[in-house]
């Protein structure tokens, strides 16, 4: 029978696997988150604990200002609780990397021999390479401040931290080869501690073999205790044991400080006495040695003087000889020079003549050429003229002949006319031949007669033939006509003659021109010839002059050669003489030098020995002074709290735990809520089946068993899954987040049975109980009732409907939504609570991120506005304080500064106690430049008056103080004072009591003694140079910049940020699961209704919207509720998570609300989206099923 | 021109793991407009499958379904939704009223999504529930709830009124009044009504009786003279 039910249970699980897995999932998430976050703190501690264990981190670290000698070590060994003890060396130095030496390294000794023994402490953890095996090798640490040169294979050169020291006084060499990269359990944070060199901050460390240290005494002693074996270093028992040990060692220290002082004083006294004796001996020795030396010097001086006189004589002789020869030579030289000059002048003259000749020649040639070029043309022209002349001549001759012939003819005609004036011939043939000739010839005159004139011949012929007697008148007329004609002819001839005369004249001119032309040519020729002749003469003259010059030149060359040889001879002789003199001189100089050297040696020797003696005297004086002034050695007994990072790591781990107080519980609660709803629903769904089984006679137990097993199986598997994932995931994530800030090994995340068991038990109880409760409600009823479907909650009018005005404004679907919300109020309420929880978680997460993140900008940007703070030596005198004050003020880069009393004290009020820092500024009115005192909310400025102290808000909260309250302040010497609170100031880190000097004096009965200075730097000041300068002043212990605190706190904010991210993501996931689960139930429960509206023809969108509306309203209400609730949750978490020295900013920024709200709505949308597909898949056949 | 509803050679197979169940095995029948048809068959005869396919809630694997000339068998899911929305009125065996809505609101649930609906109050008055329209389903008797369901179906002015065992959850007297209401609606409004039932006693009142057996149509009988509901006994 049972097996059937088991089978049925298994089948049920399979059938409703979605539900099963959603219970499983929510349990897994709740349990995983709870257990995981819970385990984070122990895991963090365990991881570090294991690391300390593996590397054998010392419990106690002793440092002495004198170092530890064998007596010291023996005294320490007396303590029986010592488990292991390792003395070691350390020194702070600069790393020389190129041109800058600003990296400060702590050089630690590494004892290779003991490293593998049980006694080895603070074992380095090798990251790369190997450990040093021989002298000159080292291992280094790589962190953000380490120089880039820190690589295996490189060498590191070290420089002493103080300028007047040599690193080789401490180490046998200053150069080391890097053979490995290590980490050390002593340094888990980025802080490497303080130093008195450089800027005061150690950047990194390195380890060299112990034998490379040359020190006589150990500088450090590390030890572990028997009593702490097996104790967790982060728990109180360990701290108690170490506290006891520290007290014991402090007692040893007190004794040894005393004894060591005596040892040192005795030793110093002895040394001083020895030194004094030595000094006396030295003085004696000095005086004798000096006297000897002086005598030797005097002898040498005398010898040297003699030599010098002799040399002077021979030098004079030599000089006169030289001068004579020189003169002779100079004269010859002068003559030569004169000749030369003359020759040069002649030559110049000759050359000028030659040039002139050349010019003449050139001119001549040009003239000749011109002439030759022009001659033919001239000749041709002349010939032309001659031809002209000949033609003209002929013309004239012809003209002459014509005229003569004319005249003769005219005369002949006239003769005829006259002859025949009274005569006649009957016929022409009768005429005498001569007359006939004349008549014939007269025709020639016709040409001369004017035109129109009858032919003379004809006239004549007629005339001669006319019988005067016969015709006297005719005859006379003819005669007159002839006379007239002839007269014309005669005048024509006259004109001709006149023309001729003109021609003749022209001819004569022409002839003259020709003659002139020839004459000119001849003249030109002659002139050329003449200039040629002149030139030739000149040439001859010049040649003669040249010859004369050449002769002179030869003479001169001869003379010059003579002079040269003379000079050579002179030089040779001069040189010989000079050499002899120089040699003598050299000898003297050597003598002088030797003498000078002797004198210098004497002086140096004297000075040296004087110095030595002086030094010795000074040393003795110093020794005396020092002896008188010798300080007692101081031992520092440190426990792990003084290791950088140890305390803050614990704080961080515990901060995680504080967060774990609230968040996971919330997760479990929400998970339980969901389980309850889901189980109830399941049982309700199976009502009929329960009824059937019951009717069949199964006992209520058996039936209940199924549901219980179902619930238990889901929660058990869920728990296991959650534990397996949670125990690894959350601690690992959180530790990895912290690995940003700490050098630490990989997280150790053991399965923690204690948490596992009770988480699982709680989970099973919660789900089991909800299953039982649901089942119980059903099983109470009679089978018959159970068989019938439980009547679904009937529809009801909601209150809102009474408000008809609003109700009528709603559309139909809105009405349905409102009714449904009220109908399923239990589930809606659950959804709202679930969503509200998740929103609240997210808001808390975001708020926390701000609260922590705001510390840095507020504390170091608004509250502490000073740039740096430095501590002065504890035993400083008021005069020295004054010096420091002046030095600081005068340091370039320091803008303003103030001295304060800054002292750790204990504050108490009633039962509450807190560690505080008393802060007493010299000038309370000027404090505003360094620290802002104001109320947090209204930012009202607070001032330091004479009526009370201003305390910070956190302190007020811790001690329960209000303005006007009085509390007790106890300083380190146990002096107590009753302090009245005059104001409460905004402050986030550490606790402070601010007092005016007047008030301090009033309550403590003594004026405050300043021990600290703070200052602001000028813009752009080089901080590391500044601190180097300041640290070089006397009586400065250290200096710290606000900037480095900022970095440190920023790291905290960052690591918290990643934890918060985990929280937010988990809360979001939870929100999603919760909503999905509840919505899922909603859908299943109403599947029939949904199928029906689908059959009615609702589109998929409409079906989804039908559900969404309800969903979204629940989500929005839940979100709003969550935002309100989150404010309280955040306040609570902050209060829980805050450590005593830190106050988180309590405000929540609006962005946190925005993000939390938006994320919630985003998850709602995702759920809606997923839901849409689920609704789409609903089968309409569901609507047809009978109600089960 | 075919009939108002034509179902021809419809096959529907379901795969249940390795077994294939044929739920409709070549089902063919016709229904004329304004007819009161009864599809009758014993449990597992394939009635519901036919109803699902005819009501646009499921698709057939093979075959043709024509309703008022539209080939429903080729509709996409979206078209099927619209088909259900505008053309089909559905009366469920268990009424399927939304518990959280009053009678009137349940009718409005249907009328708000379709074209040219009847007024919800009129529809309720027609089924004789004018007085009870502001009551929630839990305050109504089974017969009244079924009447609301019918009113909801009719208010949509569907082409086809599909009724799945409308009297299945009712006693016989109440069942008769419901059947009467359906028959009257059919006669008065010329509504095509398809009633699916295992109850052979109802068949005499139908115009057409389609008998299903083993997923097949074994008989289609036209009733020339349907009997009034009052004369039926079961």
């Amino acid at each position: 029978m049972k097996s059937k039910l088991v089978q049925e249970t298994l089948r049920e699980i399979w059938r409703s696997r979605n539900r099963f897995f959603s219970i499983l999932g929510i349990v897994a998430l709740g349990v995983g988150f709870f257990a995981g976050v819970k385990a984070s703190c122990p895991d963090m501690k365990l991881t570090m604990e294991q690391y300390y264990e593996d590397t054998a981190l010392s419990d106690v670290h002793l440092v002495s200002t004198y170092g530890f000698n064998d007596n010291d070590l023996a005294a320490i060994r007396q303590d029986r609780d010592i488990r292991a003890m390792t003395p070691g060396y350390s020194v702070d130095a600069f790393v020389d990397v190129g041109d800058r030496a600003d990296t400060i390294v702590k050089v630690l000794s590494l004892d290779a021999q003991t490293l593998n023994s049980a006694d080895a402490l603070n074992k380095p953890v090798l990251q790369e390479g190997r450990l040093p095996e021989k002298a000159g090798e080292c291992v280094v640490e790589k962190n953000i401040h380490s120089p880039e040169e820190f690589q295996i294979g490189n060498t590191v050169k070290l420089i002493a931290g103080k300028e007047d020291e040599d690193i080789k006084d401490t180490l046998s060499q200053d150069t080391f080869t890097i053979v490995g990269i290590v980490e050390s359990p002593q340094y888990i944070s980025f802080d490497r501690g303080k130093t008195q060199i450089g800027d005061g901050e150690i950047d990194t460390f390195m380890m060299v073999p112990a034998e490379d240290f040359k020190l006589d005494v150990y500088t450090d002693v590390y030890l572990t205790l028997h009593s702490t074996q097996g104790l967790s270093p982060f728990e109180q028992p360990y701290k108690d044991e170490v506290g006891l040990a520290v007290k014991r060692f402090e007692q040893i220290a007190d004794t040894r400080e005393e004894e060591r002082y005596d040892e040192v004083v005795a030793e110093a006294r002895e040394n001083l006495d020895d030194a004094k004796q030595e000094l006396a001996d030295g003085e004696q020795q000095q005086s004798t040695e000096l006297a000897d030396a002086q005598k030797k010097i005097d002898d040498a001086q005398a010898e040297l003087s003699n030599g010098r006189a002799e040399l002077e004589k021979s030098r004079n002789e030599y000089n006169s000889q030289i001068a004579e020869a020189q003169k002779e030579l100079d004269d010859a030289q002068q003559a030569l020079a004169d000749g030369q000059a003359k020759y040069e002048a002649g030559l110049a003259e000759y050359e000028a003549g030659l040039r002139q000749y050349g010019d003449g020649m050139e001119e001549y040639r040009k003239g000749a050429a011109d002439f030759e070029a022009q001659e033919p043309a001239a000749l041709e022209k002349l010939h032309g003229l001659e031809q002209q002349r000949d033609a003209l001549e002929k013309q004239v001759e012809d003209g002459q002949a014509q005229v003569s012939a004319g005249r003769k003819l005219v005369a002949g005609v006239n003769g005829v006319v006259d002859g025949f004036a009274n005569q006649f011939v009957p016929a022409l043939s009768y005429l005498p031949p001569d007359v006939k000739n004349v008549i014939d010839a007269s025709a020639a005159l016709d040409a001369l007669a004017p035109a129109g004139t009858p032919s003379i011949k004809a006239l004549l012929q007629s005339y001669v033939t006319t019988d005067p007697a016969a015709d006297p008148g005719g005859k006379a007329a003819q005669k007159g006509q002839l006379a007239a004609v002839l007269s014309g002819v005669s005048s024509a001839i006259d004109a001709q003659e006149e023309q001729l005369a003109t021609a003749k004249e022209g001819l004569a001119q022409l002839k003259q021109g020709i003659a002139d032309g020839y004459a000119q040519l001849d003249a030109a020729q002659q002139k050329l010839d003449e200039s040629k002749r002149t030139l030739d003469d000149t040439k001859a003259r010049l040649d003669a002059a040249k010859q004369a010059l050449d002769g002179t030149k030869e003479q001169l060359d001869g003379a010059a050669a003579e002079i040269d040889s003379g000079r050579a001879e002179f030089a040779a002789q001069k040189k010989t003489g000079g050499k002899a003199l120089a040699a003598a001189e050299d000898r003297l100089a050597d003598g002088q030098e030797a003498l000078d050297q002797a004198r210098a040696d004497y002086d140096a020797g004297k000075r040296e020995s004087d110095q030595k003696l002086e030094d010795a005297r000074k040393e003795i004086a110093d020794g005396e002074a020092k002896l008188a002034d010798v300080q007692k050695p101081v031992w520092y007994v440190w426990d792990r709290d003084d290791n950088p990072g140890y305390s803050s790591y614990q704080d961080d781990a515990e901060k995680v735990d504080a967060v774990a107080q609230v968040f996971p519980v919330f997760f479990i609660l929400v998970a339980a809520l969901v389980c309850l709803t889901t189980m109830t629903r399941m049982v309700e769904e199976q009502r009929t089946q329960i009824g059937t089984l019951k009717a069949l006679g199964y006992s209520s137990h058996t039936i209940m068993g199924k549901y219980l097993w179902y619930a238990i199986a889901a929660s058990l598997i869920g728990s296991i899954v959650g534990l397996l994932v949670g125990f690894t995931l959350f601690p690992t994530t959180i530790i990895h987040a912290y690995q940003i800030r700490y050098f630490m090994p990989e997280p150790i995340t053991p399965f923690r049975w204690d948490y596992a068991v009770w988480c699982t038990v709680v989970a099973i109880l919660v789900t089991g109980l909800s299953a039982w409760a649901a089942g119980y409600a059903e099983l109470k009823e009679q089978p018959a009732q159970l068989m019938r479907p439980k009547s679904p909650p009937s529809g009801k009018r909601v209150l809102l409907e009474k408000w008809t005005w609003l109700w009528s404004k709603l559309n139909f679907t809105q009405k349905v939504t409102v009714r449904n919300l009220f109908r399923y109020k239990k589930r809606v309420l659950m959804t709202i609570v679930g969503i509200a929880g998740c929103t609240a978680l997210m808001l808390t997460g975001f708020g926390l991120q701000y609260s922590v993140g705001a510390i840095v900008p507020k504390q170091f940007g608004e509250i502490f506005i000073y740039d740096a703070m430095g501590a002065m030596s504890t035993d400083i005198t008021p005069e020295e304080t004054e010096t420091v004050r002046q030095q600081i003020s005068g340091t370039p880069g320091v803008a303003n500064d103030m001295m304060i009393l800054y002292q750790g004290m204990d504050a108490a009020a009633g039962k509450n106690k807190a560690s505080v820092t008393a802060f007493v500024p010299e000038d309370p009115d000027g404090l505003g430049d360094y620290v802002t005192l104001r109320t947090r909310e209204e930012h009202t400025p607070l001032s330091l008056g004479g009526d009370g102290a201003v305390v910070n808000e956190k302190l007020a909260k811790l001690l329960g103080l209000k303005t006007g309250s009085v509390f007790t302040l106890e300083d380190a010497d146990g002096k107590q004072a009753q302090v009245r609170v005059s104001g409460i100031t905004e402050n986030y880190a550490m606790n402070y009591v601010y007092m005016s000097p007047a008030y301090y004096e009033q309550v403590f009965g003594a004026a405050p003694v300043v021990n600290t200075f703070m200052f602001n730097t000028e813009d752009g000041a080089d901080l590391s140079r500044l601190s180097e300068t300041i640290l070089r002043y006397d009586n400065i212990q250290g200096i710290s910049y606000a900037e480095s605190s900022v970095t440190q706190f920023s790291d905290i904010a960052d690591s918290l940020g990643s934890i918060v991210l985990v929280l937010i993501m988990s809360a979001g996931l939870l929100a999603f699961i919760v909503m999905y689960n509840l919505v899922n139930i909603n859908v299943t429960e109403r599947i029939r209704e949904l199928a029906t509206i689908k059959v009615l023809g609702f589109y998929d969108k409409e079906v989804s919207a039908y559900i969404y509306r309800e969903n979204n309203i629940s989500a929005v209400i839940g979100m709003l509720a969550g935002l309100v609730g989150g404010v309280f949750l955040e306040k609570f978490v902050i209060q829980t998570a805050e450590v005593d020295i830190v106050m988180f900013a309590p405000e929540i920024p609006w962005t946190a609300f925005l993000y939390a709200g938006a994320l919630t709505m985003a998850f709602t949308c995702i759920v809606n989206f997923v839901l849409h597909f689920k609704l789409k898949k609903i089968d309409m056949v569901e609507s047809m099923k009978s109600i089960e | 021109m075919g009939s108002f509803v034509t179902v021809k050679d419809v096959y529907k197979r379901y795969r249940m793991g390795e077994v294939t169940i044929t739920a409709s095995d070549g089902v063919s029948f016709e229904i004329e407009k304004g007819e009161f048809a009864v599809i009758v068959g014993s449990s597992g005869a394939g009635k519901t499958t036919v109803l699902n396919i005819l009501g646009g809630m499921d698709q057939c694997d093979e075959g043709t379904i024509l309703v008022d000339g539209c080939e429903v068998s080729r509709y996409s899911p979206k078209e099927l939704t619209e088909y259900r929305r505008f053309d089909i009125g559905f009366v469920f065996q268990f009424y399927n009223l939304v518990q959280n809505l009053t009678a009137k609101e349940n009718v409005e649930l249907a009328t708000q999504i379709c074209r040219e609906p009847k007024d919800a109050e009129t529809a309720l008055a027609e089924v004789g529930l004018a007085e009870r329209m502001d009551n929630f389903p839990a305050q109504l008797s089974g017969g009244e709830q079924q009447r609301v369901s019918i009113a909801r179906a009719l208010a949509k002015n569907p082409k086809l009124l599909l009724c799945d065992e409308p009297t299945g959850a009712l006693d016989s007297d109440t069942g008769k009044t419901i059947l009467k209401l359906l028959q009257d609606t059919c006669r008065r409004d010329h509504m095509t009504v398809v009633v699916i039932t295992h109850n052979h006693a109802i068949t005499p009142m139908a115009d057409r009786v389609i008998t299903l057996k083993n997923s097949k149509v074994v008989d289609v009988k036209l009733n020339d003279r349907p009997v009034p509901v009052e004369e039926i006994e079961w």
Side-chain angles (χ1 to χ4, degrees), chain A residues 794-797 812 816 819-820 823 1088 1092 1094-1099 1102 1180 1183-1186, chain B residues 52 57 81-82 84-85 92 94 96 98-102 105 108-109 112-113 134 136 138 156 164:
Chain A
S794 58
K796 257 187 259 164
R797 295 199 177 273
F812 176 72
V816 176
R819 282 237 191 86
N820 281 344
R823 181 181 176 200
R1088 196 179 160 77
T1092 305
K1094 272 186 132 176
V1095 173
L1096 288 179
F1098 276 60
Y1099 293 123
E1102 291 169 335
M1180 281 171 279
S1183 64
M1184 249 109 33
K1185 287 188 181 151
S1186 65
Chain B
N52 285 349
M57 289 179 265
T81 306
E82 280 171 359
R84 291 198 302 272
R85 195 176 178 119
F92 301 87
F94 300 104
N96 290 21
V98 178
Q99 292 297 319
N100 208 19
L101 300 178
T102 60
E105 284 161 356
E108 281 172 345
L109 187 65
Q112 61 154 351
I113 59 166
D134 284 332
F136 284 97
K156 286 165 78 176
D164 180 22

Side-chain angles (χ1 to χ4, degrees), chain B residues 20 36 39 46-47 56 86 93 106 111 144 156 181 183 198 202 207 227 231:
Chain B
T20 305
F36 189 100
I39 298 177
K47 293 178 306 230
F86 302 122
Q93 181 178 4
N106 263 291
T111 57
E144 285 168 331
K156 286 165 78 176
L181 177 61
Q183 199 177 31
H198 66 281
I202 296 173
D207 296 321
V227 178
E231 292 170 26

Side-chain angles (χ1 to χ4, degrees), chain A residues 841-860:
Chain A
L841 280 184
M842 286 193 269
L843 179 67
T844 306
F846 285 117
L848 207 54
Q849 205 169 23
Y850 167 80
S851 298
V852 177
I855 292 177
V856 174
K858 282 185 188 260
Q859 183 74 30
F860 296 100

Side-chain angles (χ1 to χ4, degrees), chain A residues 608-619:
Chain A
E608 198 180 330
S609 53
D610 280 352
Q611 183 63 44
K612 248 186 226 163
L613 289 170
E614 192 50 43
D615 283 355
R617 273 185 214 108
K618 193 157 173 279
E619 218 169 285

